Amino acid sequence: MPRRRAPSLLPDEPVITSTATVELRSDTDGVMLLLDGVESSHLDLDDPSHLVFEYMQQMMVVLRATHGDVDRLRAVHLGGAGCTLARAVDARWSEPRQLAVEIDAQLAERVREWFDLPRSPRLRIRVGDARAELATLPEAGADVVVRDAFAGRHVPDHLRTLEFTEEVARRLRPDGLYLANLADSPPMKTARREAATVRTVFPHVVAIGEPSVLKARRYGNVVLAASHARVERDGLARALRTLPVPAGLVGEAELEDFVAGATPLTDPPPPAAG
């Protein structure tokens, strides 16, 4: 388990990295990491299993439901930042093998200095574009791929398309799990198109979030959980309702209504020759 890093050893002033301005703010639960003023990661320095962000709590519920009996969980995190979820996975599974892909080289180096993250092979950090690095990984080698990459408040377009999702599917084992985090506002056009995209590739897809977000009443996070293997919905729904902020689940049967005729996202056509 990672050791506690004293808050006094963390920088008090903003730090300029390769792509962003980073701030660390201590609070009663640990440290909040902000990128260009946007809350990106929260780390409990004493307890890696303590997740403050609600969407990460939801992801952990799904991981426990689908891969709770696995010892050596093989996880790929597209978007690293403070590696909060990777720390929680390391605390929960006995022999995890994780890779975090982070586009900001200096941030990847700094979080190793600031926080006692698990070392290789339990957690490796690779610098690069998430999609480009994903394409270099072995096929059918991962139990879970987590997409939690943002540019500001938005997921980069090339990490949302049908072609990207097909690349994710090729990297997963037959019973592997894809977890995608996104944020959207009413009328949830982005979430609906992403759900339409993911279900084109995976036969089993559910959407998770606070009920008011799923009903397109306010801004918030939506987690898409997808697999080629069926997830037992009732047990998952019950577990999500027991979270500190209860979460709802849009199951496979209701996903058609959630998608509401939205079309999948695709890569732009290549530029014309000549």
Side-chain angles (χ1 to χ4, degrees), residues 70 72-76 95-98 141-145 173:
V70 174
R72 183 177 290 189
L73 186 74
R74 296 169 175 84
V76 176
E95 298 180 73
R97 296 294 182 266
Q98 300 188 82
D143 294 305
V144 58
V145 173
R173 296 160 68 95

Side-chain angles (χ1 to χ4, degrees), residues 48-266:
S49 66
H50 178 209
L51 300 171
V52 169
F53 288 175
E54 290 150 13
Y55 78 87
M56 286 193 181
Q57 298 171 8
Q58 296 159 13
M59 285 183 170
M60 185 58 76
V61 167
V62 182
L63 277 171
R64 287 175 177 269
T66 58
H67 292 81
D69 58 350
V70 174
D71 291 327
R72 183 177 290 189
L73 186 74
R74 296 169 175 84
V76 176
H77 303 263
L78 303 178
C83 296
T84 303
L85 188 64
R87 290 174 78 240
V89 167
D90 187 77
R92 166 60 178 80
W93 277 266
S94 60
E95 298 180 73
R97 296 294 182 266
Q98 300 188 82
L99 171 67
V101 180
E102 171 55 52
I103 199 168
D104 189 319
Q106 291 181 326
L107 178 61
E109 181 180 354
R110 291 284 190 154
V111 294
R112 283 284 192 201
E113 296 173 0
W114 293 335
F115 311 115
D116 289 308
L117 300 179
R119 296 293 175 177
S120 179
R122 298 179 73 92
L123 174 61
R124 294 176 292 128
I125 301 178
R126 183 181 297 181
V127 175
D129 173 79
R131 183 162 174 176
E133 295 301 328
L134 179 70
T136 70
L137 301 181
E139 294 193 3
D143 294 305
V144 58
V145 173
V146 179
R147 190 205 69 192
D148 191 15
F150 283 77
R153 297 183 182 276
H154 304 285
V155 178
D157 288 343
H158 70 301
L159 303 183
R160 302 168 54 215
T161 66
L162 179 65
E163 294 82 0
F164 166 76
T165 309
E166 290 171 339
E167 195 73 62
V168 170
R170 284 192 287 272
R171 283 7 186 200
L172 287 170
R173 296 160 68 95
D175 62 346
L177 175 70
Y178 176 42
L179 292 171
N181 175 41
L182 62 100
D184 204 4
S185 301
M188 309 299 284
K189 290 182 179 179
T190 296
R192 299 184 200 282
R193 293 201 70 184
E194 286 220 39
T197 303
V198 173
R199 73 170 187 164
T200 301
V201 177
F202 291 95
H204 305 291
V205 183
V206 299
I208 300 166
E210 291 185 42
S212 59
V213 175
L214 294 176
K215 293 176 181 178
R217 294 174 180 167
R218 68 173 185 83
Y219 174 87
N221 290 83
V222 175
V223 171
L224 298 176
S227 180
H228 286 291
R230 183 178 293 277
V231 178
E232 196 278 303
R233 173 192 162 163
D234 291 341
L236 180 58
R238 285 194 298 271
L240 290 167
R241 289 195 297 269
T242 67
L243 290 172
V245 177
L249 181 146
V250 177
E252 296 170 24
E254 299 87 7
L255 202 65
E256 185 72 31
D257 291 336
F258 180 80
V259 169
T263 56
L265 296 154
T266 57

